[in-house]
Amino acid sequence: MTSNKFKMIVFDWDATLYASSFFEVFDSANKQVSNKFASHFAKIYDAYFKVHKPKLVRGAKEVLSELRKKSIIVLYSNTREYRLRKELAYLKITNLFDYIITGSGYNVYKPDASVIIEIMRQNNIKPEEVLVVGNSANDYNLAKNIGAKICITHEITNYTFDDADYYINNLYELLKVVQ
């Protein structure tokens, strides 16, 4: 691994790497029916998957491949493991991540930093050597809970935070941030 400003980069999935708002739509619909169809998530998602194939944001594979040469790459999503694993396999990008953390798989959800802190400990990485890349308050608060830098992407959403460290309009701009 060559020298880099960040030894570990933690990515969000929805609206950061994945060009969809499926999870937000599902969660909203689930709340409207009193959380009754969450137990049927796999069936519902499989039906959705038949008509809507996953799509990455522009440049995701190239940027992840480049960053992986220099940093540990972590995917941390609050989405369900079943869905995320299916999408990663379809997109053939599972191998681009050193660690994949899902809320349902670890029973922790952002902004909980416990799993990330454990990965940092195992790899002797300091908080200032970590960059969190995301698009939401959960990602922002995750970075704050770690003591890491935060990079907010505006490719799909447009959240702003007074003290975010970096803003990018697309993933290609991330390559400049990490230099």
Side-chain angles (χ1 to χ4, degrees), residues 51-82:
V51 297
H52 184 312
K53 297 302 182 202
K55 181 182 174 191
L56 293 170
V57 297
R58 186 175 50 96
K61 279 186 183 179
E62 297 86 356
V63 170
L64 287 168
S65 295
E66 186 62 30
L67 294 174
R68 191 144 190 269
K69 294 175 187 174
K70 301 175 183 179
S71 303
I72 292 171
I73 304 298
V74 178
L75 179 58
Y76 186 5
S77 177
N78 283 350
T79 196
R80 295 170 187 263
E81 185 162 7
Y82 177 84

